[in-house]
Amino acid sequence: MNLWQAFKMAFKSIAMKKTRSFLTMLGIIIGVASVVIMVSVVQGQNKKSMEYFEKMGDNKINVNAYSYYDNNNETSQKLYDYCLSMSDLILGITPDVEVGQKMTIQYGAKTLAVNDWNGGNMDWEKMMHVKLGSDQYGVCNNYTLAGGREISYLDIEKTNAVCVLGSGAKDALFGFTDPVGESITINGQPFLVVGWYNSMDIQYWPEMDNLIVLPYTFNRTMNGNSSIGNYAVKAKNAAATVEAMTRLDAFLAGMFPKNEQGWSETGSYYVQSNNSYADDIQSQSLMQSLVLGAIAGISLLVGGIGIMNIMLVTVTERTREIGIRKAIGAERKSIITQFLIEAAVICSVGGVLGIGLGAVGTLVAGKLLLGETMLLPGVTITLGAFLFSVILGIIFGMYPAIKASGLQPVAALRAD
């Protein structure tokens, strides 16, 4: 018997007992669909997280340095000077401080409230954020200008009343009008709009666009002269990020030495990179995929047991046929091949149906859980699930096939 004949007989056997074949496939269908849906949703979640970090900017280092005994001006200057000395590794540094005071922003008849928790302004998507930064704020935080210019070093030095708007703030105040050259008031003080940023367009993170950036020298008047302790540092590449983090950690450890108990009596600090967060998320995603895939794989194993059971029934039903084939000279390997192909065909058909069901389930789960309208299974997981189902059929079909090939022709021909 050639392989083509074996496949024809396998499909004929399935077609003759459609209901029984479908019920046998059901475990494979459910198992494959479960694997495809679970792993695809985790991968989709990981993709969205990675898109967030890409938009936030690779190679960004978040630094927090706070002195217990001064107003942090000295700490800021030392940190700034040290970063300038690493120009071969670092593109820029900026304070990254959010103003916590209650504020009112106005342009013409339009008014926006900031930190007005008792004023009904609790809509997270519309809430505005006033940030204090340097002339390198855009570079360090991965913003690109849509129009105008950044805050300049001269603006910071002279405490010029200028600002740069995020796209959300620009739309809320000016709509489709170019805001450059216009003035807004913040708590009654006029600020000239010198530029505005393109949208970061990060789902569930509207605060990335709903911001207004002022020179950090307005910290005294706008932020109650609170200490500046948060900084964003932009490294040139991934390798530079690792080295810059190591140097910054050592530098700050020298500024705030730790005692024998492991804590500093003069200040506190930490250095963290977006790259580290991204690596952590990828590791967690891989672990989730493995765990969820293993859980869903249990359904496949149950389906495999069902395949073995039905193939044993098939061997019993076709005992006389096996006896006739062996009596006319069929070899054991022909019998084994026939039954293994039948088991593999059942599993492969179930795998295809399971992939189709998994694709539909992935679309629905992506819409409900991630807000994605077109989340589809990846090629790797689709092929992997299909091949695993076929291999499972061969493994669980092996025992019935061997049992069938071992029947003695005389005993098989006597069977009812």
Side-chain angles (χ1 to χ4, degrees):
M1 177 186 294
N2 59 38
L3 290 178
W4 174 243
Q5 288 178 321
F7 277 104
K8 285 176 65 176
M9 289 185 65
F11 280 108
K12 184 178 179 181
S13 176
I14 293 173
M16 288 177 62
K17 298 180 174 61
K18 297 182 180 66
T19 302
R20 189 175 76 176
S21 298
F22 176 75
L23 292 175
T24 303
M25 295 176 190
L26 199 57
I28 300 296
I29 294 171
I30 294 172
V32 170
S34 300
V35 170
V36 169
I37 292 171
M38 288 185 177
V39 176
S40 296
V41 169
V42 171
Q43 289 179 344
Q45 185 180 32
N46 178 59
K47 182 181 177 183
K48 288 184 72 67
S49 299
M50 295 310 297
E51 286 176 354
Y52 163 74
F53 283 111
E54 287 174 3
K55 290 180 179 180
M56 285 286 290
D58 294 333
N59 311 319
K60 176 184 173 182
I61 304 171
N62 301 302
V63 179
N64 178 276
Y66 182 80
S67 173
Y68 298 150
Y69 298 108
D70 62 37
N71 61 3
N72 275 345
N73 289 336
E74 184 179 351
T75 301
S76 296
Q77 190 60 51
K78 287 181 178 180
L79 181 61
Y80 185 80
D81 292 340
Y82 184 69
C83 286
L84 286 181
S85 71
M86 292 194 293
S87 58
D88 57 325
L89 301 174
I90 291 175
L91 294 174
I93 176 174
T94 179
D96 194 2
V97 179
E98 180 164 354
V99 176
Q101 305 293 325
K102 178 179 176 181
M103 311 181 85
T104 301
I105 302 169
Q106 290 182 308
Y107 174 73
K110 296 181 179 179
T111 302
L112 303 176
V114 178
N115 298 322
D116 186 11
W117 306 109
N118 297 319
N121 186 33
M122 296 293 289
D123 190 337
W124 183 252
E125 293 190 358
K126 296 181 180 178
M127 189 183 303
M128 293 295 143
H129 304 265
V130 176
K131 300 276 190 170
L132 302 176
S134 73
D135 54 318
Q136 298 166 343
Y137 188 88
V139 171
C140 293
N141 289 283
N142 209 42
Y143 287 102
T144 58
L145 285 170
R149 64 174 178 84
E150 295 274 9
I151 294 169
S152 69
Y153 178 78
L154 189 63
D155 293 329
I156 296 167
E157 187 177 38
K158 294 185 176 296
T159 317
N160 291 334
V162 298
C163 65
V164 179
L165 307 180
S167 64
K170 178 261 183 187
D171 292 342
L173 292 171
F174 295 94
F176 295 103
T177 304
D178 188 348
V180 176
E182 300 292 333
S183 290
I184 63 174
T185 60
I186 302 178
N187 283 357
Q189 180 177 350
F191 282 81
L192 177 68
V193 179
V194 295
W196 59 287
Y197 295 125
N198 285 308
S199 174
M200 295 286 274
D201 192 26
I202 303 177
Q203 191 176 19
Y204 308 126
W205 293 84
E207 66 269 25
M208 299 303 299
D209 290 322
N210 295 347
L211 83 161
I212 299 172
V213 183
L214 310 179
Y216 69 84
T217 41
F218 276 92
N219 184 57
R220 183 177 63 84
T221 58
M222 289 290 175
N223 204 31
N225 205 31
S226 299
S227 297
I228 295 178
N230 295 319
Y231 306 87
V233 179
K234 182 74 170 181
K236 289 186 175 181
N237 50 51
T241 301
V242 175
E243 186 172 351
M245 286 180 63
T246 302
R247 291 190 188 183
L248 283 168
D249 191 87
F251 173 74
L252 292 171
M255 289 183 63
F256 307 117
K258 295 180 180 180
N259 56 25
E260 295 179 355
Q261 286 73 39
W263 56 275
S264 175
E265 298 176 356
T266 57
S268 63
Y269 73 92
Y270 73 81
V271 179
Q272 184 59 273
S273 168
N274 281 2
N275 295 10
S276 301
Y277 294 135
D279 291 341
D280 290 344
I281 285 181
Q282 285 188 317
S283 298
Q284 292 173 7
S285 175
L286 177 60
M287 184 61 66
Q288 285 180 330
S289 296
L290 292 175
V291 171
L292 292 176
I295 293 173
I298 294 174
S299 298
L300 279 173
L301 292 177
V302 173
I305 294 172
I307 294 294
M308 180 184 288
N309 179 59
I310 204 65
M311 292 308 297
L312 286 172
V313 172
T314 300
V315 170
T316 303
E317 290 177 343
R318 294 165 60 182
T319 300
R320 286 181 61 82
E321 174 194 328
I322 296 168
I324 293 171
R325 290 179 61 185
K326 295 197 73 174
I328 61 177
E331 298 180 356
R332 289 194 65 180
K333 66 179 182 180
S334 298
I335 306 296
I336 292 174
T337 300
Q338 176 62 43
F339 280 90
L340 287 182
I341 287 176
E342 289 189 21
V345 166
I346 291 174
C347 284
S348 62
V349 173
V352 171
L353 295 176
I355 289 170
L357 180 62
V360 174
T362 299
L363 281 170
V364 174
K367 181 64 176 177
L368 295 177
L369 301 177
L370 304 177
E372 289 281 353
T373 55
M374 284 299 292
L375 180 64
L376 292 172
V379 176
T380 302
I381 181 61
T382 301
L383 290 177
F386 175 75
L387 291 175
F388 185 72
S389 66
V390 174
I391 292 171
L392 201 66
I394 293 173
I395 292 173
F396 281 92
M398 185 65 71
Y399 173 69
I402 293 174
K403 181 178 180 181
S405 69
L407 292 174
Q408 296 298 319
V410 175
L413 288 171
R414 289 176 180 173
D416 295 331

